[in-house]
Amino acid sequence: MPFVKEIKNKAYFKRYQVKLKRRRKGKTDYRQRKGLIIQDKNKYATPKYRLVVRFSNKNITCQIVYATLTHDVVVASAYSKELPEYGLNFGLTNYAAAYCTGLLIARRVLTKLGLADTYKGLAEASGEDYMVEEVDDAPRPFFCLLDVGLKRTSTGSKVFAALKGALDGGLDIPHSEKRYVGYDEDSKRLDEDFLRKYIFGGHVGEYMDQMKEEDADAYAKHFSGFIKEGITSDKLEGIYKKVHAAIRAKPVKTKKAKTKPASSKKWQAVKKTYEQRKADLAKRIAAIKAE
């Protein structure tokens, strides 16, 4: 038998250090996270805020978060599942819904910090690349960094729709127009009309008309939620405009009043008194004698 050198010997395993749990599970990119949360020393304990955008199959989550030594703190959050309260009952995970969720988190956090009247953002959604400007004799705009997690940052990704909504809502976020849908790599220009079409769901309307002509059965199945609400392609822009206006009018979610239940639930058996236990014992003795 030839000589085989043992590479991973006992000393190797005694000194082996496992990676962090969320790295082992593939949930966190720690190189990215370190760059987002490390604060300059001369800023001491000043929070470094992040706009965290996450997508699931049925929901879009936007949160304003900052990190401490022990955990992350969520300042404000908004979810696409809240959009039905503002008049959007369909398509809660598409590009237009991502824009609405970004707009909602921006107006919500600015209202919470008392900056909503100072920084109103872009009055009407459009395809132009908007950047909030500092107001003299007033606090500076709320600054945060975009946290995309593990999502691929390809041009036209929905994560940048949420970014666009947050920017139009009045947040100060470093960005480039190169990742918006409609940016042409050859001409190095952003097609503002194309981006506006996506913000108001124009691409969804075009697909609706195309599928309705080609396959009516597939259209009825694919757009069942739209059909249930009586939505057609020509109504989409008007609906999204109303949703944007409703978000700006009332971004903060009203808390429901807590009501105490009429009768409290008891999960443990109530302890019997001495007289009750004595009566139970007498019944058992009587039952035994009767046998």
Side-chain angles (χ1 to χ4, degrees):
M1 184 177 176
F3 173 74
V4 179
K5 185 179 180 182
E6 188 179 7
I7 304 296
K8 295 183 178 179
N9 53 17
K10 185 178 180 181
Y12 169 85
F13 288 107
K14 286 179 73 174
R15 289 162 177 77
Y16 182 78
Q17 185 174 3
V18 296
K19 298 185 185 300
L20 296 171
K21 182 189 286 187
R22 290 187 64 85
R23 172 62 190 87
R24 297 198 304 269
K25 291 183 177 181
K27 290 183 176 180
T28 299
D29 180 354
Y30 278 97
R31 177 176 291 183
Q32 180 197 70
R33 178 176 169 81
K34 184 179 178 182
L36 288 170
I37 68 174
I38 292 296
Q39 183 65 286
D40 297 334
K41 264 192 171 182
N42 59 358
K43 293 181 181 177
Y44 300 97
T46 305
K48 195 171 185 179
Y49 296 100
R50 318 192 309 272
L51 171 62
V52 178
V53 182
R54 298 291 185 269
F55 291 84
S56 65
N57 289 339
K58 294 185 178 181
N59 195 26
I60 301 173
T61 302
C62 292
Q63 296 175 324
I64 300 295
V65 181
Y66 68 91
T68 65
L69 288 174
T70 56
H71 60 282
D72 281 4
V73 179
V74 179
V75 179
S77 60
Y79 307 92
S80 64
K81 63 184 178 182
E82 297 178 48
L83 295 179
E85 299 175 12
Y86 297 96
L88 188 66
N89 299 313
F90 54 88
L92 299 181
T93 55
N94 59 24
Y95 199 93
Y99 177 89
C100 293
T101 311
L103 178 65
L104 178 59
I105 185 63
R107 301 311 302 165
R108 185 167 286 179
V109 71
L110 290 177
T111 302
K112 183 175 182 179
L113 299 175
L115 297 173
D117 294 332
T118 307
Y119 298 102
K120 296 182 180 180
L122 196 60
E124 186 177 348
S126 66
E128 66 173 297
D129 185 20
Y130 175 78
M131 193 70 179
V132 65
E133 295 182 358
E134 186 175 344
V135 176
D136 296 333
D137 301 327
R140 285 177 291 180
F142 184 80
F143 178 85
C144 57
L145 302 172
L146 179 64
D147 184 345
V148 299
L150 302 178
K151 189 168 179 63
R152 290 187 179 182
T153 53
S154 55
T155 301
S157 175
K158 289 187 291 185
V159 72
F160 299 113
L163 168 68
K164 183 71 171 76
L167 289 167
D168 290 356
L171 297 186
D172 182 11
I173 308 172
H175 68 283
S176 171
E177 66 178 17
K178 292 182 179 181
R179 287 304 180 199
Y180 290 146
V181 64
Y183 181 80
D184 187 12
E185 188 64 33
D186 296 329
S187 62
K188 307 294 182 183
R189 291 184 59 215
L190 175 66
D191 188 346
E192 295 181 357
D193 293 333
F194 195 79
L195 175 57
R196 185 185 183 281
K197 182 181 77 172
Y198 269 67
I199 290 173
F200 288 104
H203 61 299
V204 179
E206 290 178 359
Y207 187 55
M208 287 174 70
D209 294 337
Q210 179 186 348
M211 183 175 280
K212 192 174 183 179
E213 291 178 3
E214 295 177 356
D215 191 345
D217 294 334
Y219 169 78
K221 184 178 179 182
H222 195 78
F223 290 101
S224 59
F226 290 68
I227 296 170
K228 184 180 178 181
E229 297 293 330
I231 305 301
T232 55
S233 58
D234 56 336
K235 295 181 180 178
L236 288 174
E237 183 171 341
I239 291 172
Y240 283 115
K241 282 184 177 180
K242 290 179 181 178
V243 172
H244 298 167
I247 288 173
R248 288 182 174 277
K250 190 179 179 183
V252 179
K253 191 174 183 179
T254 55
K255 291 185 178 180
K256 294 181 180 179
K258 293 183 178 180
T259 56
K260 291 185 177 180
S263 59
S264 59
K265 294 182 179 179
K266 295 183 179 180
W267 305 105
Q268 294 179 341
V270 180
K271 190 175 180 181
K272 294 182 179 181
T273 62
Y274 174 73
E275 287 76 12
Q276 289 173 335
R277 285 186 278 120
K278 191 173 180 181
D280 291 344
L281 180 59
K283 288 180 182 179
R284 287 200 298 270
I285 292 172
I288 293 171
K289 287 182 177 179
E291 294 177 355

